């Protein structure tokens, strides 16, 4: 099957090269490579976000190519800018699909789905009948329940896209339930979680200790891969309550060439004022080749994220044999089994983090058992090979139906206009 994987604001090539990558770029890279191994031919369509990105079609792996489409400025867009250029991306996508017609279109994210509808509305009759599968890693309705901002236009678009697509893929049962509450039948939605590479992230192998203090005091080591502007403050405050432990914060930024900036300096000042600067270490984005060694150097993975729709960093830590302490939000409850492979918290407040971490570290038998169970679960449930098979099953559920309309040209234009002014 020829599959057009539309990921407007992703870039799969950094993940393919082993560089730090955004979760959507990693998803597009890993999923497309595994689908190709199943015999499919994949073309990833993404918006050009850097003038140095190659022109035309670029081969990424056997059976996988990447095409960057010009739509808006050739730079990374802020979140509130992204919808503004979706119409132009959809027009460019229509031309690309007309030249190389796929058997199925898989849109990753709501702007990609809107662009795909736009492309179909501007295509001939045969193109309009191509099945459309819509993926959501996150839904605004779920984010709101975790205390994040309400974006009414985006929420409306997600509901429309879920009802118009031939089949929908979400990352968690929580999202499936939310769509059901919005009127989308459960049989129309498949739950396919984020994945992990268990051959790369593994219990076996060396550990990197250069960022830690010397083990003279035998301090337990906590590690977290997180956006420094999000939950890192709560983790620093938790370390104040854990005088026996030290913490390594790894920036989740995808820009591995940029130096640590204002957020890192702010956290360093926070740690110094709290008197824990000797036990809090901050490093920039880490190449994926080095990341398993850094994870294996820790005793426990900890997160205090308000909302994690992917759970990728947690899965990678689990695959390296680390027990996990994290809030039960987003995709995390799908990955971590409470009191089997780690501890799930309600909110991730500093006192709650400290209490949960201490409960694990003060019981070595429990910590060891959690780590073994975490590695086993990551290897058995979440390898990208299995994620690709489950995605393929979802593709097979997306049957073209003559009676189903993806929306006429005028209707899609109205949706694009509404989205660009959200």
């Amino acid at each position: 099957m020829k599959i057009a994987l539309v990921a407007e604001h992703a870039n799969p090539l950094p993940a393919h090269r082993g560089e730090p990558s955004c979760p959507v770029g990693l998803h597009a890279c890993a999923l497309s490579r595994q689908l190709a191994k199943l015999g499919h031919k994949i073309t990833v369509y993404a918006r050009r976000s850097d003038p140095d990105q190659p022109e035309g079609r670029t081969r990424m792996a056997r059976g996988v190519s990447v095409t960057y489409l010009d739509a808006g400025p050739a730079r990374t867009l802020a979140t509130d800018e992204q919808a503004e250029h979706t119409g132009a991306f959809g027009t460019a996508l229509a031309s690309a699909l007309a030249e190389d017609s796929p058997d199925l279109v898989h849109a990753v994210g709501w702007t990609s789905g809107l662009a795909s509808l736009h492309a179909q509305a501007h295509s001939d009759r045969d193109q309009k009948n191509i099945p459309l599968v819509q993926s959501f890693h996150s839904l605004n309705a779920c984010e709101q329940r975790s205390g994040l901002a309400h974006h009414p236009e985006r929420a409306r678009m997600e509901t429309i896209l879920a009802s118009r697509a031939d089949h929908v893929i979400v990352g968690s049962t929580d999202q499936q339930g939310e769509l059901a509450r919005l009127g989308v039948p459960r049989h129309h939605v498949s739950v396919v979680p984020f994945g992990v590479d268990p051959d790369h992230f593994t219990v076996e192998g060396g550990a990197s200790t250069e960022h830690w203090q010397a083990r003279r005091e035998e301090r337990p080591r906590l590690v977290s891969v997180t956006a420094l502007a999000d939950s890192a403050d709560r983790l620093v405050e938790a370390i104040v309550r854990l005088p026996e432990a030290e913490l390594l914060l790894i920036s989740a930024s995808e820009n591995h060439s940029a130096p640590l900036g204002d957020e890192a300096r702010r956290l360093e000042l926070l740690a110094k004022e709290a008197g824990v600067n000797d036990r809090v270490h901050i490093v920039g984005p880490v190449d994926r080749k080095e990341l398993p060694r850094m994870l294996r150097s820790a005793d426990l993975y900890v997160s205090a994220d308000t909302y994690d729709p992917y759970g990728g960093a947690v899965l990678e830590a689990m695959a390296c044999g680390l027990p996990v302490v994290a809030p039960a939000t987003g995709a995390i409850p799908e990955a971590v089994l409470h009191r089997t492979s780690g501890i799930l918290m309600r909110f991730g407040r500093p006192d709650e983090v400290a209490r949960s971490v201490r409960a694990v570290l003060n019981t070595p038998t429990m910590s060891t058992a959690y780590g073994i169970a975490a590695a086993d679960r990551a290897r058995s449930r979440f390898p990208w090979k299995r994620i690709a098979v489950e995605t393929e099953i979802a593709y097979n559920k997306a049957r073209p139906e003559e009676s189903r309309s993806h929306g006429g040209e005028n209707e899609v234009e109205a949706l694009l206009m509404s989205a660009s002014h959200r």
Side-chain angles (χ1 to χ4, degrees):
M1 185 172 10
K2 288 176 62 178
I3 300 164
L5 185 63
V6 183
E8 182 181 359
H9 300 292
N11 183 5
L13 288 181
H16 178 67
R17 295 191 293 259
E19 300 169 1
S21 173
C22 72
V24 183
L26 174 59
H27 174 265
C29 172
L31 178 63
S32 60
R33 290 193 303 194
Q34 290 298 326
L35 286 170
K37 291 179 181 180
L38 295 175
H40 303 291
K41 183 178 179 181
I42 317 297
T43 302
V44 181
Y45 293 97
R47 194 191 71 86
R48 185 180 307 282
S49 58
D50 187 320
D52 294 331
Q53 287 170 338
E55 300 282 346
R57 179 169 296 186
T58 301
R59 185 180 184 274
M60 188 175 77
R62 183 174 182 179
V64 183
S65 60
V66 179
T67 298
Y68 295 103
L69 303 178
D70 293 306
R75 60 173 173 80
T76 301
L77 299 177
T79 301
D80 58 0
E81 296 180 288
Q82 292 178 352
E84 180 181 348
H85 304 286
T86 293
F89 180 79
T91 299
L93 179 64
S95 298
L97 297 183
E99 294 179 6
D100 186 18
S101 180
D103 300 310
L104 180 141
V105 175
H106 179 182
V108 181
W110 75 273
T111 59
S112 296
L114 195 55
S116 298
L117 286 182
H118 177 78
Q120 287 185 325
H122 287 75
S123 301
D124 59 30
R125 180 174 300 177
D126 290 340
Q127 291 278 18
K128 287 181 171 66
N129 293 329
I130 296 174
L132 172 63
V133 173
Q134 175 68 53
S135 270
F136 296 110
H137 285 301
S138 181
L139 294 170
N140 186 240
C142 296
E143 294 171 3
Q144 290 177 63
R145 285 192 277 108
S146 294
L148 300 184
H150 176 38
H151 300 287
E153 278 302 312
R154 175 188 153 194
R156 186 172 74 90
M157 296 296 171
E158 289 171 344
T159 304
I160 292 172
L161 289 167
S163 62
R164 294 266 177 86
D166 295 290
H167 198 72
V168 178
I169 296 175
V170 294
S172 66
T173 54
D174 176 56
Q175 293 174 27
Q176 185 186 42
E178 189 61 52
L179 288 177
R181 284 188 286 274
L182 295 172
V184 181
R186 287 184 178 271
H187 66 79
H188 188 62
V189 181
S190 294
V191 178
V192 182
F194 206 77
V196 67
D197 181 355
D199 294 325
H200 182 60
F201 292 90
T202 175
V203 176
E204 304 298 331
S208 174
T209 59
E210 63 177 296
H211 299 291
W212 300 101
Q213 295 288 348
R215 274 271 185 171
R216 287 190 297 269
E217 301 177 36
E218 289 298 324
R219 285 174 175 162
R221 294 171 170 175
L222 316 182
V223 65
S224 186
V225 181
T226 185
L228 299 183
D230 181 20
S231 63
D233 294 51
R234 295 193 289 275
L235 294 177
V236 172
E237 292 174 22
I239 284 296
V240 176
R241 297 164 169 83
L242 293 164
E244 71 278 16
E246 58 182 312
L247 170 69
L248 176 62
L249 293 172
I250 302 174
S251 172
S253 171
E254 60 190 280
N255 188 358
H256 73 297
S257 61
L260 287 171
D262 293 341
E263 286 300 328
R265 287 189 287 272
R266 182 184 60 79
L267 287 170
E268 289 171 346
L269 180 60
L270 177 64
K272 185 175 182 179
E273 291 175 344
V276 296
N277 54 302
D278 63 327
R279 296 190 287 116
V280 174
H281 322 289
I282 305 171
V283 298
V286 176
D287 284 346
R288 299 189 66 74
K289 180 180 180 181
E290 179 66 12
L291 186 54
R293 299 181 71 246
M294 296 183 72
L295 291 172
R296 285 192 294 262
S297 70
D299 300 296
L300 183 145
Y301 185 90
V302 61
S303 170
D305 289 342
T306 302
Y307 183 76
D308 185 348
Y310 307 101
V314 167
L315 290 173
E316 289 167 355
M318 289 171 58
C320 290
L322 295 187
V324 174
V325 169
T329 64
I332 302 304
E334 304 282 331
V336 180
L337 298 180
H338 184 51
R339 298 199 177 279
T340 298
S341 55
I343 292 182
L344 295 176
M345 304 173 290
R346 289 190 63 189
F347 301 110
R349 293 187 296 250
D351 58 339
E352 192 178 11
V353 172
R355 185 168 59 252
S356 299
V357 167
R358 193 175 291 113
V360 176
L361 295 180
N362 286 353
T363 312
T365 303
M366 178 190 297
S367 179
T368 300
Y370 283 177
I372 293 172
D376 181 68
R377 181 162 174 76
R379 287 194 304 264
S380 61
R381 174 64 188 94
F382 298 99
W384 282 114
K385 181 177 181 179
R386 175 170 172 171
I387 302 308
V389 170
E390 293 180 7
T391 302
E392 183 183 50
I393 292 171
Y395 289 167
N396 291 332
K397 295 179 180 178
R399 295 287 185 259
E401 298 178 22
E402 297 297 333
S403 60
R404 177 177 289 151
S405 172
H406 293 310
E409 182 175 336
N410 292 338
E411 188 176 5
V412 173
E413 290 296 335
L415 289 174
L416 281 167
M417 183 69 69
S418 177
S420 64
H421 290 87
R422 65 189 179 96

